[in-house]
Amino acid sequence: MPIRVNRALVLAFALALILGVLAAPSRSLAQDAEFAELVTALATGDFAEKTAAIAALTATGDPRVQPMLEAMADRRLYLREEDGLVAIGEDHAEGLRLIDVLTGEEAGIVGSRDVDRIRANNRMRGIIRSALGTMTLMNPDPTVRLEAAETVFRSQDEGALEALEQALAAETDDAVRATMEKARAAILLGSEDAGLRLEAVEALSGFTDPDIRSMLAALVVQDQDGAFAETDETVRAAATEALDAIEQRLALWRTAGHIYQGISLGSVLLLAAIGLAITFGVMGVINMAHGEMVMLGAYTTFVVQQLFRDYMPGLFDFSLFVAIPAAFLVAGAAGVAIERGIIRFLYGRPLETLLATWGLSLILQQLVRTVFGPTNREVGAPSWMQGAIETTAGITLTYNRLYIILFCLIVFAGLIMVLRRTPLGLQMRAVTQNRQMAKAMGIRTGRVDALTFGLGSGIAGMAGVALSQIDNVSPNLGQSYIIDSFLVVVFGGVGNLWGTLAGAFSLGIANKLLEPYAGAVLGKILVLVAIILFIQKRPRGLFALKGRAVEA
């Protein structure tokens, strides 16, 4: 079937296409001419003309505007005297290499005397920063839009309000939208209209931000004559109410931050005390050299990292995965040697054991000073442990602390599995509950003692790996944690791992909750007094071991 073509329709379409093609260049030329005039005004005009040119250039949305304004703010925008060319200057061996802002093409290399720098004072740089923030509010990348909204919030530029409202109307990302609403409210807070200021206060009351608290607090401040910064009573009352709500939320966030720090401290105490809980519970040995096992683990980490730096620098991020088993083996071997060489001759004599291990701790400290020197040693953090999570309330959660908490829980779970699922764990529990009966059943208690001491010391060595990421690696490292470790073990229940876990986190959280009110030293004293009073009521701690030998 033949297809009929409407010639009139085809001719009309062709005519429209030709007119559109002819009209497009004229519009483009007109826009380019207008853009060039604005660039010229930016270079040669006075402060008012430059400010107007920045606003007009920003409104065009042209991609050439952003690098031009950035260059102007960085003192890299120049005017060539011979032809009035506005260009971005880049350092070159022979002078300045010019990049035409209109075409983006290289415009030659000139000397510093051939061009004039287009200057911008501090106030104009603030306007430029605000303009750059406004330009990126409609960027397709939500991260860029979020940064732009933060920039507008900090500058509180009224000229960005219109662009901000347009971007807010089209915004779909919740986080970006919330930041834009915060920025809009911050701008409206400086409005002359009391209704708009009230709207801004109500909008800002929903945020928990120290900067917003400062902005609202400025409204209710009185001067020497008793006059308020905010003249409208309704707005002032709303600001006071909003401040109270923000303070309550900030107090909750601060408490949450203290609890997080307490959990972090508790994880460190658990790592340091868990090995002590094993040796103290199984053998009843007061090992004052336990802190030096932690120190040996930290120095093992230093040695491993030095080897990685010297021979495998590209694999430095994996150094901790080698340091952890290495520290376990080094500290564990040292523990077995201590038990076989000293401890086994002093069983049943706790005072002599305490004195012997205390003297041994001094020997180990001096040995490390002789080998590594008395100064602190640098232990680096791998890239995946660097950085932090920052909340809007100003709470910072560092990655290294988060990884230490996770590592602590993994070590604890692994130790529980060893005690419950392995023959060594079964023999250790038997010796803990009744040493004489275990020996009568054929268990080699001497071998169990050596392996138990080695296991506890090895875990202390792994604690040294973790502590090397948050504390100075020095010969005195272990001394900072030995007393707290004994407190954790006694408070939780001698030889009970779950009690050690509960005791470590309880003491850590209690310390951090008391520090803001009582100070670090007085807080520790209060915790110590509380533990003494608790032990008077429960001498065996939170979770007492059960068994005939224990009960006897």
Side-chain angles (χ1 to χ4, degrees):
M1 182 177 180
I3 300 175
R4 295 181 180 180
V5 179
N6 191 326
R7 293 183 178 180
L9 183 60
V10 172
L11 289 174
F13 177 77
L15 182 61
L17 182 61
I18 293 171
L19 291 175
V21 172
L22 292 175
S26 63
R27 288 195 300 269
S28 178
L29 289 174
Q31 292 173 354
D32 283 344
E34 182 181 357
F35 189 87
E37 290 179 2
L38 292 173
V39 171
T40 303
L42 191 66
T44 60
D46 57 15
F47 180 82
E49 291 176 344
K50 288 183 178 181
T51 303
I54 291 173
L57 287 169
T58 304
T60 64
D62 195 296
R64 295 173 292 181
V65 175
Q66 182 171 349
M68 179 171 53
L69 293 182
E70 289 176 349
M72 185 175 178
D74 295 338
R75 299 168 56 87
R76 295 184 294 107
L77 193 64
Y78 296 90
L79 175 66
R80 191 161 62 185
E81 295 179 353
E82 62 179 10
D83 57 0
L85 175 72
V86 179
I88 299 173
E90 297 179 353
D91 292 332
H92 191 272
E94 300 178 3
L96 286 174
R97 186 167 67 94
L98 299 182
I99 305 296
D100 191 342
V101 297
L102 296 178
T103 64
E105 298 176 354
E106 185 174 343
I109 299 174
V110 298
S112 59
R113 296 182 179 181
D114 299 325
V115 292
D116 289 332
R117 180 181 283 116
I118 300 175
R119 303 186 182 277
N121 55 23
N122 291 334
R123 182 180 176 188
M124 187 168 292
R125 287 193 187 94
I127 295 173
I128 291 174
R129 285 194 295 269
S130 177
L132 291 172
T134 303
M135 286 184 62
T136 51
L137 286 171
M138 301 296 290
N139 193 286
D141 188 352
T143 304
V144 176
R145 298 199 303 274
L146 182 63
E147 293 178 357
E150 289 286 356
T151 302
V152 175
F153 169 72
R154 289 191 294 268
S155 66
Q156 300 176 28
D157 181 21
E158 295 182 2
L161 182 59
E162 182 178 354
L164 183 62
E165 290 179 339
Q166 293 176 359
L168 190 57
E171 185 56 59
T172 55
D173 188 279
D174 292 339
V176 179
R177 184 176 182 83
T179 306
M180 287 183 175
E181 290 176 348
K182 181 175 68 173
R184 178 180 179 273
I187 295 174
L188 293 179
L189 204 61
S191 172
E192 296 181 357
D193 187 345
L196 292 178
R197 296 200 303 274
L198 179 62
E199 178 186 347
V201 169
E202 292 174 350
L204 292 175
S205 64
F207 295 92
T208 303
D209 192 325
D211 293 333
I212 292 176
R213 179 185 60 181
S214 300
M215 294 168 58
L216 294 177
L219 299 179
V220 297
V221 171
Q222 290 179 288
D223 58 17
Q224 296 179 351
D225 299 329
F228 289 96
E230 173 55 57
T231 56
D232 189 277
E233 186 176 350
T234 304
V235 178
R236 194 164 60 245
T240 303
E241 183 178 351
L243 274 174
D244 292 339
I246 291 175
E247 287 291 349
Q248 292 177 3
R249 291 197 297 271
L250 284 175
L252 291 176
W253 274 105
R254 283 193 294 268
T255 302
H258 295 325
I259 292 175
Y260 166 75
Q261 293 176 2
I263 293 174
S264 175
L265 176 60
S267 65
V268 172
L269 293 178
L270 178 61
L271 284 173
I274 194 171
L276 187 64
I278 296 173
T279 57
F280 199 10
V282 173
M283 294 174 286
V285 173
I286 303 176
N287 181 19
M288 295 301 294
H290 184 77
E292 278 55 53
M293 301 298 104
V294 176
M295 176 196 64
L296 289 179
Y299 274 97
T300 302
T301 307
F302 166 72
V303 173
V304 170
Q305 287 197 349
Q306 284 298 110
L307 294 175
F308 269 84
R309 287 191 179 100
D310 294 339
Y311 300 103
M312 295 176 288
L315 299 177
F316 182 79
D317 283 349
F318 299 94
S319 60
L320 287 188
F321 295 105
V322 177
I324 290 173
F328 179 84
L329 292 176
V330 170
V336 172
I338 291 171
E339 196 280 334
R340 291 287 87 187
I342 300 175
I343 302 298
R344 71 189 181 106
F345 300 109
L346 300 175
Y347 286 132
R349 291 181 286 175
L351 182 59
E352 286 85 346
T353 304
L354 186 149
L355 293 175
T357 53
W358 178 65
L360 180 62
S361 71
L362 298 179
I363 294 173
L364 290 175
Q365 289 179 42
Q366 190 58 44
L367 178 63
V368 169
R369 286 191 182 94
T370 303
V371 175
F372 295 99
T375 58
N376 295 342
R377 290 295 178 172
E378 178 187 359
V379 174
S383 59
W384 47 272
M385 287 188 70
Q386 299 175 6
I389 300 173
E390 296 185 3
T391 66
T392 56
I395 305 300
T396 302
L397 310 178
T398 56
Y399 289 145
N400 58 351
R401 293 277 183 176
L402 288 173
Y403 280 115
I404 288 175
I405 293 173
L406 180 62
F407 176 67
C408 162
L409 296 178
I410 292 174
V411 171
F412 182 81
L415 185 58
I416 291 293
M417 293 296 294
V418 168
L419 293 179
R420 293 185 179 274
R421 302 294 183 184
T422 64
L424 175 61
L426 179 62
Q427 293 174 8
M428 286 173 57
R429 287 185 287 136
V431 173
T432 302
Q433 293 182 9
N434 195 319
R435 175 179 291 271
Q436 296 302 323
M437 183 61 70
K439 189 174 184 179
M441 295 296 293
I443 295 176
R444 297 167 58 187
T445 56
R447 175 178 176 273
V448 172
D449 288 339
L451 292 178
T452 301
F453 208 94
L455 178 62
S457 299
I459 294 174
M462 291 195 295
V465 179
L467 288 175
S468 68
Q469 299 300 306
I470 59 174
D471 206 343
N472 295 323
V473 177
S474 68
N476 299 322
L477 174 65
Q479 294 299 308
S480 304
Y481 295 94
I482 185 65
I483 302 300
D484 289 336
S485 299
F486 274 108
L487 287 177
V488 168
V489 172
V490 173
F491 176 63
V494 177
N496 191 300
L497 293 184
W498 290 105
T500 305
L501 175 70
F505 285 117
S506 298
L507 294 183
I509 293 174
N511 269 311
K512 291 303 178 180
L513 289 178
L514 288 173
E515 278 184 9
Y517 307 101
V521 176
L522 183 58
K524 281 185 174 292
I525 293 175
L526 293 176
V527 170
L528 178 60
V529 171
I531 291 177
I532 293 173
L533 295 177
F534 177 81
I535 295 300
Q536 294 295 320
K537 296 293 184 182
R538 291 180 63 92
R540 297 180 183 175
L542 286 173
F543 301 93
L545 284 177
K546 295 181 180 180
R548 292 181 180 179
V550 175
E551 292 170 357

